[in-house]
Amino acid sequence: MKFIKKLMLNRPAEKRLVYFYSMVATDEQVWLLENKHGDLLVSEGDEDYEFLLPVWPSRSFAEMEAANLKKSYKAFNMPLSQFIDHLLVDLEEDGGAAAIFPNEKDTMIQTRKEIIEMIDQIND
């Protein structure tokens, strides 16, 4: 199973995005990483966003990322509704966006509005 997950991680960002939404729409949860103080893992932003919040479709993908980090982080899940209605609102107010299912090469960056649109498309 780990081999299949590594293959998925190496897929282009667009393919991982589709996989992410298919899993998230079914499970109705996202996976994030936090340190022992409860601080979320964030990464450096780009020209449009001050910082990015990486999210994963399952515990195993989040844990694979945590294993590659220098500091200790643990995976935890958040209900999709809480993610959309609370965390993403706060994230955008602070100048951030979500990094959907990132890997070392690339990621798709999405806003709350884009995430809601993708979930709505899958649920239709």
Side-chain angles (χ1 to χ4, degrees):
M1 185 63 141
K2 198 168 192 174
F3 176 73
I4 303 249
K5 293 199 179 286
K6 284 186 178 188
L7 284 176
M8 178 54 69
L9 269 175
N10 289 322
R11 304 288 311 252
E14 296 82 11
K15 301 269 186 193
R16 292 191 323 275
L17 182 79
V18 171
Y19 179 81
F20 174 86
Y21 282 111
S22 67
M23 294 289 295
V24 167
T26 301
D27 295 343
E28 295 187 8
Q29 63 185 350
V30 297
W31 287 85
L32 304 108
L33 294 176
E34 67 180 354
N35 66 17
K36 65 182 178 182
H37 304 290
D39 298 324
L40 296 175
L41 173 70
V42 294
S43 60
E44 191 174 308
D46 60 11
E47 62 276 353
D48 297 321
Y49 303 101
E50 292 182 35
F51 63 96
L52 300 173
L53 176 71
V55 293
W56 292 271
S58 69
R59 174 189 294 267
S60 57
F61 286 116
E63 288 176 341
M64 286 171 74
E65 178 64 22
N68 293 328
L69 299 173
K70 292 178 184 173
K71 295 184 179 179
S72 178
Y73 283 86
K74 68 175 184 169
F76 74 100
N77 64 330
M78 177 178 286
L80 184 58
S81 60
Q82 184 180 351
F83 176 69
I84 290 172
D85 296 336
H86 300 286
L87 185 58
L88 286 177
V89 171
D90 292 343
L91 181 76
E92 289 187 352
E93 286 176 358
D94 292 340
I100 307 296
F101 198 179
N103 70 9
E104 294 176 0
K105 296 180 224 169
D106 60 1
T107 190
M108 297 292 290
I109 298 169
Q110 293 200 308
T111 63
R112 180 176 181 268
K113 180 182 177 192
E114 291 168 325
I115 291 169
I116 291 169
E117 287 173 359
M118 291 292 289
I119 297 291
D120 287 346
Q121 285 178 11
I122 288 174
N123 287 331
D124 284 344

